[in-house]
Amino acid sequence: MTEHLGGAVIPTGFDVPVEPLRRAAHYTGEPGCIAEARGFAAQFLEQLRTEWCADIGSRTDGELLLVVSELVTNADQHSNGPYILELEGTDSAVEVAVYDSNAALPRRFPKNPERVGRHGLEIVHAVASQVTVQRVPVGKRVCARVDLK
């Protein structure tokens, strides 16, 4: 954005693109890591509210923590090593990415209320506006976008 003052163009500094808020945490898989990841995500949301003035309702707050919990739990259960949680957000959406060392891509099972377990990816797909899975050199990356309503 620029202002015109007496024919002169004066840059205001507001035309500079703003980078999304980004945070990452590394977990070893020790007991308590999943709860730590949820706490990390809760702090991220609070920072997003403060720095981006993001309007995040309690339902969306809970949905995002559920997505983090499901993706981190899957990484914890199915990988043979540490995993990384990355969060990137603006005032309109948060992207949750989890990297782990297992190259096997997760399977989304059809809905079956009688099945015990294996509902994690089904839950993530129900809550997120977009879910992507890709192999990376160290294993895989599972990413879910949660729109802030």
Side-chain angles (χ1 to χ4, degrees):
M1 186 179 302
T2 55
E3 292 182 20
H4 300 278
L5 184 63
V9 176
I10 303 168
T12 62
F14 292 113
D15 55 347
V16 178
V18 177
E19 292 292 319
L21 180 62
R22 292 185 182 102
R23 297 288 177 264
H26 176 269
Y27 300 97
T28 61
E30 296 294 318
C33 284
I34 298 165
E36 287 178 29
R38 281 193 304 266
F40 178 77
Q43 288 177 338
F44 178 84
L45 286 172
E46 196 53 44
Q47 191 173 5
L48 201 58
R49 283 183 181 97
T50 303
E51 294 181 17
W52 274 83
C53 299
D55 183 19
I56 307 168
S58 61
R59 180 180 173 101
T60 304
D61 192 79
E63 289 175 349
L64 186 78
L65 295 179
L66 178 62
V67 167
V68 167
S69 185
E70 290 295 337
L71 294 183
V72 170
T73 297
N74 286 348
D76 190 71
Q77 290 179 346
H78 301 291
S79 71
N80 295 322
Y83 43 92
I84 297 170
L85 168 63
E86 286 184 345
L87 301 171
E88 180 177 301
T90 65
D91 60 344
S92 61
V94 173
E95 197 163 287
V96 179
V98 176
Y99 294 81
D100 70 48
S101 60
N102 186 345
L105 300 181
R107 240 177 93 200
R108 181 177 171 195
F109 293 93
K111 291 181 181 180
N112 180 352
E114 295 179 13
R115 183 180 65 244
V116 176
R118 300 196 178 253
H119 293 280
L121 207 51
E122 180 183 340
I123 292 168
V124 171
H125 275 272
V127 172
S129 62
Q130 180 181 3
V131 179
T132 58
V133 179
Q134 66 186 90
R135 285 193 175 91
V136 294
V138 296
K140 71 175 164 294
R141 174 182 186 253
V142 181
C143 186
R145 177 187 170 94
V146 177
D147 293 327
L148 304 178
K149 301 168 186 139

